[in-house]
Amino acid sequence: MAVYTLPELPYDYAALEPVINPQIVELHHDKHHAAYVKGANDTLEQLAEARDKEAWGSVNGLEKSLAFHLSGHILHSIYWHNMSGDGGGEPLAADGVGEFADAIAESFGSYAGFKAQLAKAAATTQGSGWGVLAYEPLSGRLIVEQVYDHQGNVGQGSTPILVFDAWEHAFYLQYKNQKVDFIDAMWAVVNWQDVARRYAAAKSRADVLLLAP
């Protein structure tokens, strides 16, 4: 029985035009995201088989595979909800996201500083990867992280709340090799209501890190 399932899109394929065309959304969700879901489920089955056969030599590779596919599934599940055809602009108290807007200013000095840092982080990932805004529970602040492929270079307890997919499959059919142009365009579809809800939920989990028993 499958442990992970592909979530439905919260909008139709054309909802993010002109920033992301329908063909990209369809291929990205129905093919690429689906492949990560299948990969995670298949790897869990292979790990179960390895345990049954005590084939411990395969565990190292399978653990890497599980982390890759599961992280891909999680990040994409956040990604779809982070966007809206009615999104964009700057998060403001007038739009009901004042607590999140204050956290941005406190953590980065200004919205402009945050925007520039996340855009640069996403655009300069080496090869494939993500730019991520995450809540870091040890300090209680927001941080920007670079995720190489689907994992690594992140604080272990941090919770991603806004993710920019910088893999070529996210933009190449429309933006060719101009990743920076895609990242710049992405700001027009950011769903700040979703990001603010994720921030509030992450912040409310005070015991997420057990640093001492």
Side-chain angles (χ1 to χ4, degrees), residues 101-159:
D102 289 344
I104 288 289
E106 182 178 350
S107 297
F108 299 98
S110 67
Y111 172 73
F114 151 70
K115 181 178 178 181
Q117 184 177 341
L118 179 56
K120 184 62 69 173
T124 58
T125 51
Q126 296 171 338
S128 300
W130 300 69
V132 175
L133 174 67
Y135 176 76
E136 198 285 291
L138 193 59
S139 65
R141 64 184 290 125
L142 294 169
I143 60 174
V144 165
E145 299 176 326
Q146 284 182 316
V147 178
Y148 295 108
D149 289 334
H150 288 148
Q151 51 193 300
N153 209 35
V154 299
Q156 291 301 305
S158 61
T159 301

Side-chain angles (χ1 to χ4, degrees), residues 7-151:
E8 293 186 5
L9 286 171
Y11 35 70
D12 61 42
Y13 295 137
L16 303 176
E17 285 193 294
V19 174
I20 308 178
N21 70 39
Q23 184 183 17
I24 289 178
V25 176
E26 182 177 6
L27 288 171
H28 196 167
H29 176 267
D30 296 3
K31 301 298 182 182
H32 291 280
H33 189 171
Y36 300 128
V37 173
K38 183 178 186 303
N41 287 322
D42 287 351
T43 306
L44 286 177
E45 293 181 3
Q46 293 162 18
L47 281 164
E49 182 179 353
R51 290 193 301 273
D52 290 342
K53 296 181 177 179
E54 296 188 356
W56 306 121
S58 64
V59 168
N60 183 45
L62 289 173
E63 294 290 2
K64 288 183 172 63
S65 177
L66 180 61
F68 175 81
H69 290 294
L70 181 54
S71 294
H73 173 38
I74 290 169
L75 288 167
H76 281 92
S77 296
I78 297 169
Y79 179 69
W80 303 122
H81 287 274
N82 275 171
M83 296 183 290
S84 168
D86 297 322
E90 179 177 347
L92 299 170
D95 299 322
V97 294
E99 184 179 357
F100 170 70
D102 289 344
I104 288 289
E106 182 178 350
S107 297
F108 299 98
S110 67
Y111 172 73
F114 151 70
K115 181 178 178 181
Q117 184 177 341
L118 179 56
K120 184 62 69 173
T124 58
T125 51
Q126 296 171 338
S128 300
W130 300 69
V132 175
L133 174 67
Y135 176 76
E136 198 285 291
L138 193 59
S139 65
R141 64 184 290 125
L142 294 169
I143 60 174
V144 165
E145 299 176 326
Q146 284 182 316
V147 178
Y148 295 108
D149 289 334
H150 288 148
Q151 51 193 300

Side-chain angles (χ1 to χ4, degrees), residues 191-203:
N191 183 350
W192 293 117
Q193 299 292 329
D194 178 71
V195 180
R197 284 192 295 268
R198 293 179 186 277
Y199 168 69
K203 186 179 179 182

